[in-house]
Amino acid sequence: MSETTPKGLTRLAFGGDYNPEQWPESVWAEDVRLMREAGVTMVSVGIFSWALLEPARGVHDFGWLDRLLDLLHENGVRADLGTPTVAPPAWFYREHPEALPVAADGTRYAFGSRGAICHSNADYRAAAAAVTTELATRYGDHPALALWHVHNEYGVPVSACYCESCAAHFRRWLARTYGTVDAVNEAWGTAFWGQRYADFEQIEPPRLTPTVGNPGQALDYKRFADATMRENFTAERDILHRLAPGIPVTTNFMTALSQCETVDYWAWGREVDLVSNDHYLITDGRRTHVNLAMAADLTRSVAGGAPWLLLEHSTSGVNWQARNPAKAPGQMARNSLAHVARGSEGAMFFQWRQSRRGAEKFHSAMVPHAGTDSRVWREVVELGASVEALAPVRGTRTVADAALLWDWHSWWAQTLPWRPSEDHDARERADAFYEALYDRHVTVDFAHPEADLSAYPLVVVPALYLMTEAAALNVRAYVENGGTLVVSYFSGIVDEYDAVHDGAYPGALRDVLGLTVEEFSPLLKDDRVRLTGPDGAELCGDVWSEFVVERGAETVYRYADGLAAGRPAVTRHRFGAGTAWYVSTRLGVQGLDAVLGLAAGDAGTAPCAELPRDVEVVRRTGEAGTFVFAVNHTASDAEVPLETPGAELLTGERAAGSLAVPAGAVRVVRLDG
Ligand code: GAL
């Protein structure tokens, strides 16, 4: 059994990516002094240092890293030490230009950025193993070492390479996965457009083709690319485990669905000792704290509910979006502590000291260009104290009320071209279902469609287009045994090969939903359909409609106009001891709320306390007790009802009956008992 918590860390993690190699060593002394002032407990080092650690093949310069780790140790700061394999040095690419990845159109990427890696390349693999071995041998028992940080954000900026080595590796992967080339032909449906293969040797990566390529091939290539990156992660991890036993290994995920779509984090969550995540606010006009909560819930879910670690977020603005606003006063702390509420064992940032040079010099940091006489620094110091006060929550688990079924493979399949409507977006549906639950103050676990769902009174299924036979049986058993299910349109349509389930849509869900769908009828851009329901209630859908035929289900809302006028739009089906709802058009968050309100009646879930929409209340519980986190994202003071009195950890005050949460503030109560 590997360790799962950073070695020697007795409090929550607080700190950030620390890149002192960008500064003269004279600055380091000030760095550690400021780290102590801010209550920094851990920093991530060495992530991009390969060219410094190995300036020429086989020539090593560890002196600066030795001095740095010693300095951190002397100052009580733990180290999350990176393997620098995301940024091979220039000399490596001179020797092995074919290690640079190739895009689907045949263009080879150039050196000069980061993450330019063909993960199938044997020379890259050997060099990565060698530098990892050197680091593990030298620092495996260094007293500062708490955690290994392998690579950086697998899956971005390049996930798949289309070179000849990848072609050969893909053929081997296919042979392992399918056994025979005929099984590949069958799975991909190569009878269509005469794509039949007589031999594995004839199969290529899905490179640029004149028109749409084979969807089964494209989907499998995404699986292959993900598995190939994972092979390289596990190779490094195994070296670290062997040479530095007792030190947990992580790699920083990017679970926000807007930030990395190429990695199946369900699979990765099983491979790391500690799940860690990077999260950046996307300022697209939507409520950023909802996206944050969603990413945090998804991260916890890929960690199997166990505590995880926020390894990067920003103190203020980033510099890679079109417009990069600063965070509002107090927003950084709300962001950090909202992650902690949802299971993070701390709050870490990119980065400690803002760079003067390089591509990210306008990205905010804990020590900004403005120095310590700045709002950001004062808020960092204040947050350090808050994080320290929250040490008792370590090891406790966030309590969820409902599950949302999510599968990267299903998402990937829905991004392929030539679908019924390009306006349909699986991620948008997940966002909308999540937001509707968030607004009802429901804490959400994400669940793989084949995972045990029996603990959840309510399970929602946003556009789960691809469902295996096992997933279909799982969902069916869940409802039969008394669960309440809410399913969006375009769910249960194809199997894992992107082949339509036999018979009428939705093949994987027909019986449990008690209906069939004769035809999809997506709407034209900006068209809307009206739905009429109980007591004259009206809803409005867009993007999608379809011709639903009841086969046991009752109609709750009916299309009032459009091609499907008069037909069922939202249905409810009693199935076994449970109930399955179906929503056949795209409802906005408020429309979904109306359906979820009805479904909550079936699920028997308690109506949520009367709280403003943007006051977030989440619980963590465990041996140390139960902690209620209240995050007030509004500009008004709020009162959060408390069933048991307790001690507020950030102010030291007692709270009973209700908890006062000032505008923009966070409060955390440890309930008595
Ligand atoms: C992350 C990355 C960091 C830094 C940060 C800010 O995705 O891991 O190295 O680039 O973004 O842009």
Side-chain angles (χ1 to χ4, degrees), residues 178-202:
Y178 289 98
T180 66
V181 77
D182 277 345
V184 177
N185 282 315
E186 175 68 20
W188 292 359
T190 56
F192 189 81
W193 281 357
Q195 294 165 353
R196 196 153 202 90
Y197 298 103
D199 196 291
F200 280 111
E201 282 310 307
Q202 297 170 353

Side-chain angles (χ1 to χ4, degrees), residues 534-596:
D535 306 321
E538 288 213 355
L539 296 175
C540 180
D542 64 4
V543 171
W544 197 272
S545 72
E546 54 189 23
F547 304 157
V548 173
V549 181
E550 296 146 313
R551 307 212 184 258
E554 51 173 308
T555 297
V556 181
Y557 281 85
R558 205 171 278 286
Y559 286 104
D561 52 22
L563 280 182
R567 291 182 180 255
V570 175
T571 62
R572 174 176 182 267
H573 185 222
R574 300 285 311 170
F575 184 74
T579 309
W581 289 78
Y582 184 60
V583 182
S584 70
T585 181
R586 190 177 83 153
L587 296 179
V589 173
Q590 279 168 12
L592 287 175
D593 179 70
V595 176
L596 289 173

Side-chain angles (χ1 to χ4, degrees), residues 176 188 291 310 587 612:
R176 251 197 338 269
W188 292 359
N291 173 271
L310 175 68
L587 296 179

Side-chain angles (χ1 to χ4, degrees), residues 17 19 47-48 86 114 149 152-153 156 252-254 259 278-280 312-314 318-320 349-351 359-360 363-364:
D17 280 23
N19 298 302
I47 301 166
F48 301 101
V86 73
R114 65 172 169 184
H149 178 303
N152 194 63
E153 293 178 343
V156 289
N252 45 345
F253 294 172
M254 272 190 125
Q259 285 163 32
D278 299 348
H279 184 263
Y280 292 93
E312 287 181 29
H313 69 317
S314 69
V318 299
N319 75 326
W320 40 262
F349 293 92
F350 176 85
Q351 61 176 333
E360 302 204 291
H363 190 289
S364 59

